[in-house]
Amino acid sequence: MLMKKTTFVLAGDSFITQRLPHNAALRALRRYLRSFSVRFTNFEILLHDFEVYPAPVSGGTWAAARPSVLEDLEYLGFNLYTWANNHTIDWNIDGLLTTMRHLDAAGVIHAGVGRNLAEASQPKYLDTPNARVAIIGVTSTINQWGIAGAQRPDVLGRPGVNPLRYQTTHYLEENDLRKLSQIVEQTDVNADRQLNEKEGFAKASGDGCFVGSIRFSVGKPGTSTVMDEKDKARLTASIKEASRQADIVLVSHHTHERKGMDKELPADFARDFARLCLDNGAAAYIGHGPHIWRGIEIYNGKPIFYSLGDFIFQNDTVERQPTEFYDLYDLGPDSSVADGIDIRSDYGKRGLDADKRVFQSALASFAIEDGKISDITLKPLSLSFNEDRGLRGRPSFAGEEEATEILEHIRALSSPYGTQIDIVNGEGIIKLS
């Protein structure tokens, strides 16, 4: 059966902590977004009124906003969300469940988080006039207690995210590995692991030399990351299920993991996962997480967006933070969030605050008709890098000079994958036919 044309627009992370004024810039975004049938963003915030308990650690900032911020994303027209990410468990399970209640009450279609592993892994569906669209949300960046647990006949599952775990192996020449093993044996760095294995409280870690939980093996010097086989099988099954239940499948993957110190390069396992998704029926892989753009790869005629960067980034205007936030910066009970943000960023001179790439982004759009994807359009966004803290992070269409700067950067990131981006009238165009 022939499938009619369905249009898509994809935005990166919406880390929204404050309301957005419905000014001319936001109205222009609204008109553009609402011209598409499917409007996606990754929702990287938890919704509550601070009636829930914070976790002892966070995904960087204890991400929280009043539930009313959801109204602004609805105003813009987003109708497909994922929220499996490194902040999902910032406010413990109560924060997760409270957010879920607010999303459900708003009638939002959201994926990647559930009351147990089966629910978190479940595809969610958006019915448009011309096609049924499935979304699967997954994260590889999450604290261990944020991972959803499987239900048993006699024990409840655990609320959490749909995970993609991975194994990291560091390789050394044989002589260097032998030296490392000798050094390790002179300490108790592996004592806990070895005792837990001996007493049956942990599974044997396998071959190689371990330094705590860090694995080394013989090989060409370097580091590799490989998908967890159980997660790989579960996620593949979800994609195949969605392919039978919907016309079009999208997979959203939150991943901060990188190649070495270069935040612009995805980790090995993320590239493998992206191709696995498309090989098993997904129409597009949507990456996000590092708060900057990564390149675009066209794989068998389908797009891999390794990271869409930010759509909204109000990380520095969170309303409240727990004691652990202040402890990080040796601040006391009389200190404010602003004090902590100042110290964390060295007054705007380091970290995400000082990285212009965090505040430059783009919307990606395309159409699918009869199973074929049309040319991809990139619409540059400015998140007001040069504004003071209170106004930074709000999205608007980039001016001509900044738009060219953004598109040239994305073009340079995509070139190693063989992807050609033409810049035409302030937009990036990737031709697929």
Side-chain angles (χ1 to χ4, degrees), residues 166-170 213-215 223-226:
Y166 60 95
Q167 290 81 44
T168 301
T169 304
H170 306 281
S213 60
I214 303 171
R215 183 173 186 252
T223 300
S224 70
T225 53
V226 179

Side-chain angles (χ1 to χ4, degrees), residues 49-233:
D49 289 303
F50 299 96
E51 74 275 27
V52 296
Y53 299 105
V57 297
S58 73
T61 299
W62 279 259
R66 302 286 181 173
S68 58
V69 301
L70 191 57
E71 296 173 18
D72 294 324
L73 295 179
E74 292 182 283
Y75 168 82
L76 286 167
F78 289 108
N79 57 9
L80 204 59
Y81 298 73
T82 53
W83 59 297
N85 57 67
N86 53 301
H87 292 285
T88 310
I89 201 67
D90 282 358
W91 296 84
N92 279 313
I93 287 177
D94 279 350
L96 180 156
L97 294 175
T98 300
T99 303
M100 188 180 296
R101 285 195 293 271
H102 287 296
L103 293 172
D104 288 341
V108 166
I109 296 171
H110 59 90
V113 183
R115 294 172 182 84
N116 53 58
L117 183 59
E119 188 174 297
S121 305
Q122 186 178 356
K124 297 297 180 67
Y125 300 93
L126 171 68
D127 290 294
T128 74
N130 292 339
R132 191 176 202 220
V133 178
I135 184 74
I136 296 168
V138 58
T139 184
S140 48
T141 312
I142 187 68
N143 289 315
Q144 187 172 357
W145 59 84
I147 295 172
Q151 193 100 341
R152 280 185 51 86
D154 55 345
V155 176
L156 290 172
R158 180 181 59 257
V161 303
N162 183 20
L164 173 59
R165 286 160 285 200
Y166 60 95
Q167 290 81 44
T168 301
T169 304
H170 306 281
Y171 293 97
L172 295 172
E173 298 285 358
E174 188 172 357
N175 286 340
D176 291 333
L177 185 65
R178 186 180 302 111
K179 292 175 186 177
L180 177 63
S181 300
Q182 291 169 351
I183 293 169
V184 167
E185 288 170 4
Q186 298 175 42
T187 73
D188 294 333
V189 68
N190 286 331
D192 287 344
R193 181 182 62 81
Q194 290 170 342
L195 185 60
N196 283 333
E197 289 180 6
K198 181 179 178 180
E199 295 184 341
F201 293 106
K203 185 189 296 184
S205 301
D207 297 332
C209 170
F210 287 84
V211 181
S213 60
I214 303 171
R215 183 173 186 252
F216 291 85
S217 188
V218 174
K220 182 180 178 181
T223 300
S224 70
T225 53
V226 179
M227 287 181 279
D228 177 86
E229 287 297 323
K230 287 185 178 180
D231 288 346
K232 176 182 176 181

Side-chain angles (χ1 to χ4, degrees), residues 215-327:
R215 183 173 186 252
F216 291 85
S217 188
V218 174
K220 182 180 178 181
T223 300
S224 70
T225 53
V226 179
M227 287 181 279
D228 177 86
E229 287 297 323
K230 287 185 178 180
D231 288 346
K232 176 182 176 181
R234 190 189 71 259
L235 293 168
T236 299
S238 292
I239 296 167
K240 290 182 176 180
E241 174 193 348
S243 298
R244 300 197 303 274
Q245 297 297 97
D247 302 297
I248 299 164
V249 180
L250 305 176
V251 178
S252 161
H253 180 200
H254 197 79
T255 170
H256 287 245
E257 291 78 18
R258 64 200 177 276
K259 192 71 173 173
M261 289 287 290
D262 193 341
K263 292 174 66 174
E264 293 180 338
L265 292 179
D268 296 336
F269 82 93
R271 288 195 67 182
D272 293 341
F273 178 60
R275 294 174 178 183
L276 177 81
C277 292
L278 303 191
D279 285 339
N280 284 279
Y285 166 95
I286 309 169
H288 38 79
H291 297 296
I292 58 174
W293 261 75
R294 290 172 174 167
I296 302 168
E297 180 178 4
I298 305 303
Y299 176 74
N300 292 337
K302 300 177 182 180
I304 295 174
F305 301 99
Y306 282 112
S307 174
L308 292 174
D310 289 321
F311 178 69
I312 300 168
F313 191 63
Q314 297 176 322
N315 185 45
D316 291 347
T317 52
V318 286
E319 181 181 340
R320 301 180 190 179
Q321 292 288 272
T323 295
E324 288 80 4
F325 170 81
Y326 297 98
D327 289 345

